[in-house]
Amino acid sequence: MTIASSRFGVRTEVINGAGVRSMLPELLRGLGARRAVLFTDQGLNRAGITEKITELFQEMPESVQLVGVFDEIEQDAKAENINKAAMFVKECQGDALIALGGGSVLDACKATKWLLHKNHPDIRDLMQGSTRETWPQVQPIPIPHIAIPTTAGTGSEVSPIAVVYNDRLQIKTNLSSPFISADIALLDPELTVGLPPRITAFTGYDALTHAVEAYFSPRANPMTDAFALHATKIIVENLPKAVSSGTDLQARSNMLMASAMAITSFSLAITAIPVHNMAHAFGAKIGIPHGLANAVLLPNVMGALPHLYLPRINGFAEALGLSVHDVEPKACLQQVIAFIRELRSGIGLPDTFAEFGFDEKRIAVMVPAVLSDPTALAFKIPSDTIVQICQEVAGAPLSVQEESSR
């Protein structure tokens, strides 16, 4: 009898709790840092979140110096931002990195660390599709790195994956390497309290999608299942609370933990990820935020590719809290899809991309975009299925006036 092999490793130490950001300077010192550079974005500057971190270094001047703040990171971790960030770190003579933000900031910081380690000026030369490195062929990157997420969705603070938009090729490229993840992740729910309900909702659906695609992966194993299923339970119980009552620190804290658990399972079981495959294409071509793209696409993809989900659907349904012990798999899949739609509606998310001007006239461009996305290499969605899903998530056709104003 041949038993399939699997790998499971979690490198990042996770510290969870209200106010744990205060530990940042001392933790950096413990990692051997002397001159830290903070990665963030303009939105966090305006929200006063960046200041909550920079003030920690004013209060503890005897500890690590904060020698620069790089706040030019845009949605989708654009390659141009990463190249500038690497130059900025060198100009500041920084020796440690702090990532504060959502998935784009966290991914940009990981990619910058990797680029600095490679000592190359342009990440677009190195990331032109899917780049995968494994240990022990690659060794640790000796740059202290602490991540502080401000959304509970991507889980990028603990994952060994970074998604970078290569503007030259106009595709989202993927980097998987065991040492790009942060040494320490500080999950402080106080930093997520100001997140608007809509962003709280769709980042939460990003985490749910990670759990779904991990559990139904051909490479799933008992350890990835444990993380995926428990993350699903936590999300279902806490996401509505986090959306409706943004100051609920317990719900916010639980969502941060669920996000980290979901991406861990996803990263270690990743093969067939059709929802992410399509979401990447919609992000690259239409500019739809990744979490929102996942939220809209998830139930439609599950309905269009039943063979991927039917073998294990009853186990997942139980994690959602559905009573399906004697329910036949096809009926169970329909119950799960209905649950996902109802949960999505309950937290105020749409079921189409109408608000982005996506209609049936723009479907033609999406088929090659989905098929050429690097994630399609492991699991290719049939062209007619892509068209079907796109038709389902398309909004009403734009009027002539609306079209001319775009």
Side-chain angles (χ1 to χ4, degrees), residues 313-324:
I313 193 64
N314 289 66
F316 186 76
E318 291 175 0
L320 294 176
L322 300 176
S323 180
V324 292

Side-chain angles (χ1 to χ4, degrees), residues 151-167:
T151 65
T154 68
S156 181
E157 66 277 3
V158 299
S159 83
I161 297 173
V163 179
V164 172
Y165 180 69
N166 185 322
D167 52 320

Side-chain angles (χ1 to χ4, degrees), residues 57-398:
F57 293 88
Q58 299 165 6
E59 296 169 1
M60 304 179 68
E62 74 285 354
S63 191
V64 180
Q65 277 186 282
L66 182 63
V67 295
V69 177
F70 185 82
D71 58 9
E72 297 180 35
I73 300 170
E74 302 170 279
Q75 180 178 308
D76 294 331
K78 293 179 173 61
E80 181 183 2
N81 299 156
I82 292 162
N83 291 339
K84 287 182 179 180
M87 291 179 58
F88 182 81
V89 173
K90 290 179 179 179
E91 290 168 358
C92 293
Q93 297 182 323
D95 64 6
L97 307 178
I98 307 163
L100 173 74
S104 295
V105 173
L106 301 177
D107 277 6
C109 186
K110 289 190 290 188
T112 301
K113 179 170 72 169
W114 186 75
L115 184 61
L116 288 167
H117 185 59
K118 297 294 184 182
N119 195 28
H120 193 84
D122 194 336
I123 198 164
R124 292 171 294 193
D125 296 337
L126 306 179
M127 290 183 64
Q128 299 188 3
S130 289
T131 303
R132 181 177 176 82
E133 299 178 337
T134 58
W135 179 87
Q137 285 73 30
V138 295
Q139 295 296 306
I141 298 175
I143 301 175
H145 174 195
I146 293 180
I148 309 171
T150 57
T151 65
T154 68
S156 181
E157 66 277 3
V158 299
S159 83
I161 297 173
V163 179
V164 172
Y165 180 69
N166 185 322
D167 52 320
R168 184 184 296 158
L169 300 177
Q170 295 190 332
I171 60 171
K172 288 190 175 184
T173 59
N174 307 293
L175 169 64
S176 175
S177 184
F179 298 108
I180 62 170
S181 57
D183 300 298
I184 299 169
L186 298 177
L187 310 187
D188 189 338
E190 292 180 351
L191 299 180
T192 71
V193 166
L195 201 65
R198 179 178 168 88
I199 301 178
T200 299
F202 70 64
T203 53
Y205 252 72
D206 191 15
L208 179 61
T209 306
H210 289 148
V212 169
E213 301 216 288
Y215 182 73
F216 291 101
S217 167
R219 290 180 56 192
N221 62 69
M223 297 186 80
T224 59
D225 283 355
F227 273 64
L229 291 176
H230 197 61
T232 298
K233 292 179 182 178
I234 295 172
I235 292 166
V236 169
E237 292 172 0
N238 290 275
L239 182 55
K241 298 176 187 175
V243 172
S244 64
S245 180
T247 57
D248 187 330
L249 284 181
Q250 189 60 61
R252 292 280 190 183
S253 180
N254 289 342
M255 283 301 300
L256 282 167
M257 288 295 290
S259 173
M261 293 166 64
I263 195 61
T264 298
S265 58
F266 177 87
S267 302
L268 296 167
I270 187 170
T271 44
I273 53 170
V275 184
H276 276 73
N277 181 180
M278 293 199 68
H280 286 170
F282 273 97
K285 296 298 182 184
I286 312 295
I288 299 171
H290 180 65
L292 183 57
N294 278 335
V296 171
L297 290 163
L298 178 58
N300 299 76
V301 172
M302 293 184 75
L305 297 168
H307 65 281
L308 184 62
Y309 304 98
L310 288 175
R312 309 192 77 201
I313 193 64
N314 289 66
F316 186 76
E318 291 175 0
L320 294 176
L322 300 176
S323 180
V324 292
H325 180 67
D326 296 319
V327 177
E328 186 265 338
K330 288 184 179 179
C332 183
L333 176 58
Q334 294 308 309
Q335 289 188 34
V336 168
I337 291 172
F339 182 96
I340 290 172
R341 291 183 186 279
E342 184 178 351
L343 177 64
R344 183 182 63 188
S345 174
I347 57 175
L349 293 177
D351 56 7
T352 74
F353 294 131
E355 66 186 278
F356 294 92
F358 179 72
D359 60 21
E360 292 201 11
K361 291 185 291 185
R362 306 181 74 183
I363 289 176
V365 74
M366 295 310 302
V367 175
V370 173
L371 292 175
S372 63
D373 185 80
T375 60
L377 293 175
F379 182 88
K380 194 170 289 292
I381 307 171
S383 295
D384 58 345
T385 302
I386 297 171
V387 171
Q388 174 194 331
I389 295 169
C390 287
Q391 288 173 337
E392 292 171 354
V393 300
L398 292 173

